[in-house]
Amino acid sequence: MKQTGLVLTSLLVCAFLFSACYTFKDISIPPEIKTARVNYLENHARYINPQMSPQLTDALRQKINNQTRLTLITGDEADYDISGFISDYSVTTSGIANQQAASNRLNVSVHIIFKNRKDEKKNFEADVTRNFDFNANLSLQQAESQLMSDILKNLTDEIFNRIFSNW
């Protein structure tokens, strides 16, 4: 009976350790980094979806708050300062059938500016671009309402990974 309890305890400890390693293995935040600021991501694209900037900014803040140990602050003294803007929000035809558009593609690009106040060598700027195909029979507004959650999730994940992952 004593051995069974020891084996069970060992298995639980191993399961906990492996799950903790798996969950956080790709996130790399030095111990001296305590705070982050996510500035409002403005929309500089030719076409402006008025919901995109506030929703993307909020989604990035929530992801950082929920998946890191960092404290989000609004002041200039943040260890990590994240800013940027939506640089492209455009539609192109992605498929043709019977000499008509069959599918369209919504292209969304965000320019990210990352500043590490503890190690300026880690500062960078990067462009994140995602494409979302939709049926050409839909208006842009209909497609946006169907795609918005995917757009926000994909862009937020990509921005987060660029900042916090060891790839």
Side-chain angles (χ1 to χ4, degrees):
M1 195 59 128
K2 194 174 190 178
Q3 270 187 330
T4 305
L6 183 58
V7 169
L8 183 59
T9 301
S10 297
L11 286 174
L12 288 173
V13 168
C14 286
F16 173 75
L17 289 174
F18 284 123
S19 69
C21 291
Y22 178 76
T23 303
F24 297 108
K25 74 175 179 154
D26 290 337
I27 295 175
S28 176
I29 303 171
E32 67 273 9
I33 303 297
K34 307 279 189 227
T35 60
R37 174 173 73 167
V38 177
N39 296 287
Y40 184 75
L41 301 172
E42 294 185 15
N43 197 333
H44 294 178
R46 279 184 276 154
Y47 175 83
I48 294 181
N49 175 331
Q51 299 169 354
M52 190 71 197
S53 287
Q55 288 182 1
L56 183 59
T57 302
D58 188 53
L60 184 57
R61 286 175 180 157
Q62 285 181 22
K63 187 164 185 79
I64 291 169
N65 193 49
N66 293 338
Q67 295 187 15
T68 72
R69 60 173 170 69
L70 299 178
T71 302
L72 290 175
I73 63 171
T74 57
D76 291 338
E77 68 279 355
D79 297 328
Y80 283 177
D81 189 67
I82 302 158
S83 60
F85 55 90
I86 299 165
S87 57
D88 183 43
Y89 194 93
S90 59
V91 177
T92 58
T93 300
S94 61
I96 297 175
N98 299 326
Q99 298 179 343
Q100 290 184 330
S103 61
N104 289 327
R105 177 169 291 152
L106 175 59
N107 307 296
V108 184
S109 295
V110 180
H111 184 79
I112 295 299
I113 303 163
F114 174 75
K115 293 181 182 170
N116 181 334
R117 290 211 165 78
K118 301 280 186 182
D119 184 357
E120 290 187 12
K121 288 182 240 165
K122 303 259 172 111
N123 293 354
F124 68 86
E125 292 190 33
D127 292 306
V128 173
T129 300
R130 287 286 179 254
N131 302 312
F132 305 91
D133 290 341
F134 63 94
N135 189 310
N137 293 328
L138 297 175
S139 70
L140 177 57
Q141 290 75 23
Q142 290 170 324
E144 286 172 324
S145 68
Q146 289 180 1
L147 296 170
M148 190 54 74
S149 63
D150 287 341
I151 293 169
L152 294 171
K153 181 181 181 342
N154 284 305
L155 288 171
T156 302
D157 287 349
E158 179 71 20
I159 293 166
F160 184 89
N161 288 337
R162 290 274 176 110
I163 295 168
F164 295 106
S165 292
N166 276 332
W167 324 339

